[in-house]
Amino acid sequence: MKTGEVLAEVRRLRRSFGDRIVLQDVSLTLRAGEVTGFVGANGAGKTTTIRLMLGLARGEGSTLFLGRPLHAWGSPAKVVGAVLGGVAGHPKHRVRSHLRMVAAGCGAPDRRVDELLEQVGLTEAAKLRLAQLSLGMAQRVGIAQALLGDPRVLILDEPANGLDPHSIRWLRQFLRTQADEGRAVLVSSHLLGEMEQLADTVVVLSRGRVVAASPLTELRTAASNRSVVLVQTPNMAGLARLVEDNGGRLEPTDQTGTRITGMDRIKVGSLAAKEGLELHWLSEETPTLEDFYLSIAEEDFKIT
């Protein structure tokens, strides 16, 4: 598969319970070589979206994997692998035996199990029973299980929940490797900051609706465009006129302090120096991506 090639298309997914709409026209595109961060607060509808994508729940809309619905593929495990909350298996089964059983079901050879155990760093834990696994180890087994069929699309629902920093770093590096090998990777999370170190593209879900979807670089730019310049000056009227004449917006906070939006501190400082306007304080606050997500989610709520 070529980098950037569309491997999965999700179009206008919708689900409701009676009069309560859980998902409303959720669409996203997964491309080869990219990690897509699917971000939203707990209860935003991320898991419901993934379940609809995989045909595990009923709803409206469609999802195509490599141009076809998942049920149309004779060997779906070779098309998409998914991790939905750890390992589903008998707690007394040993890791290697469990994976070999799943491998047999999807037509993968036993050697694939040992390859994946090595990839996820669990070769020495292969004889442990599933009940003996730590949360981090269980996540790794779940990932190995999802990859048994060598799928083109990998989907993980909140895989970092409860993991320690070491495991999170491993997960981040491993998923990056999977994308670099040509897979499309979808990772859901309620922490946008977590996606900053992993995702190429971010889709933000709020109350069942997509409120932002763009490359991470564009999302960072959009966040920086909402920066606020804090200024103190004895000449508030002069500053207000200067800012407004140059397309900015000014909101006084007290007699000498103000918040300016629509321009950065360099422009404010340069304009003030050119006009000989005295400034006592000049600083700039740029919202984090987490702050930006919260702000656009809140704005979307107000609109609806």
Side-chain angles (χ1 to χ4, degrees):
M1 293 291 178
K2 297 179 181 179
T3 298
E5 184 175 355
V6 174
L7 299 186
E9 293 181 274
V10 180
R11 293 293 175 262
R12 302 179 68 85
L13 294 186
R14 180 182 174 91
R15 182 170 169 80
S16 60
F17 294 104
D19 295 333
R20 184 169 71 91
I21 298 175
V22 178
L23 292 181
Q24 184 172 343
D25 296 333
V26 173
S27 298
L28 54 95
T29 300
L30 306 183
R31 300 179 183 276
E34 293 185 2
V35 177
T36 299
F38 193 35
V39 184
N42 291 328
K46 303 185 300 298
T47 298
T48 301
T49 299
I50 290 173
R51 289 179 62 81
L52 260 65
M53 289 173 61
L54 298 174
L56 301 176
R58 292 185 177 181
E60 301 175 35
S62 64
T63 301
L64 300 180
F65 293 98
L66 280 65
R68 299 161 61 183
L70 189 57
H71 63 76
W73 290 96
S75 300
K78 296 181 179 180
V79 178
V80 58
V83 182
L84 304 177
V87 188
H90 195 287
K92 290 187 178 181
H93 285 176
R94 300 188 187 278
V95 171
R96 180 178 279 113
S97 298
H98 169 76
L99 291 177
R100 283 181 173 177
M101 179 181 65
V102 177
C106 67
D110 286 349
R111 67 174 181 276
R112 177 67 176 161
V113 171
D114 291 324
E115 290 171 1
L116 286 169
L117 284 172
E118 183 176 355
Q119 284 186 36
V120 300
L122 288 181
T123 299
E124 295 183 1
K127 294 183 179 180
L128 291 179
R129 300 185 189 278
L130 297 184
Q132 296 176 294
L133 300 177
S134 66
L135 181 58
M137 294 168 71
Q139 284 286 22
R140 296 190 189 208
V141 173
I143 293 171
Q145 179 174 315
L147 290 170
L148 282 170
D150 196 17
R152 306 315 307 155
V153 179
L154 182 60
I155 298 174
L156 301 95
D157 188 22
E158 297 274 8
N161 271 359
L163 298 187
D164 58 59
H166 175 78
S167 296
I168 291 176
R169 175 180 293 182
W170 174 87
L171 177 66
R172 197 160 52 227
Q173 295 172 341
F174 185 82
L175 295 182
R176 183 72 264 167
T177 298
Q178 298 308 304
D180 291 343
E181 290 177 357
R183 292 184 177 85
V185 181
L186 177 68
V187 186
S188 76
S189 175
H190 61 280
L191 301 174
L192 185 52
E194 182 181 291
M195 291 297 101
E196 288 188 67
Q197 303 179 65
L198 173 63
D200 301 297
T201 298
V202 174
V203 177
V204 181
L205 194 69
S206 176
R207 297 174 177 88
R209 297 199 308 175
V210 173
V211 296
S214 67
L216 186 62
T217 52
E218 292 182 13
L219 199 60
R220 286 197 179 104
T221 299
S224 66
N225 288 339
R226 296 198 178 197
S227 63
V228 175
V229 179
L230 305 176
V231 183
Q232 286 185 335
T233 177
N235 187 356
M236 184 69 73
L239 180 63
R241 183 173 58 256
L242 187 64
V243 169
E244 291 168 1
D245 287 348
N246 287 274
R249 295 174 298 281
L250 181 145
E251 177 189 343
T253 55
D254 53 41
Q255 290 184 341
T256 62
T258 183
R259 294 161 45 93
I260 297 173
T261 56
M263 58 178 64
D264 61 25
R265 63 182 174 81
I266 295 176
K267 185 172 183 178
V268 173
S270 298
L271 289 171
K274 184 177 180 180
E275 295 296 321
L277 194 149
E278 184 179 356
L279 300 181
H280 292 170
W281 178 267
L282 178 63
S283 65
E284 186 172 3
E285 295 181 351
T286 300
T288 64
L289 287 185
E290 205 79 50
D291 294 332
F292 178 64
Y293 157 66
L294 291 172
S295 68
I296 59 177
E298 182 62 24
E299 287 174 9
D300 179 72
F301 177 65
K302 290 178 180 177
I303 291 172
T304 58

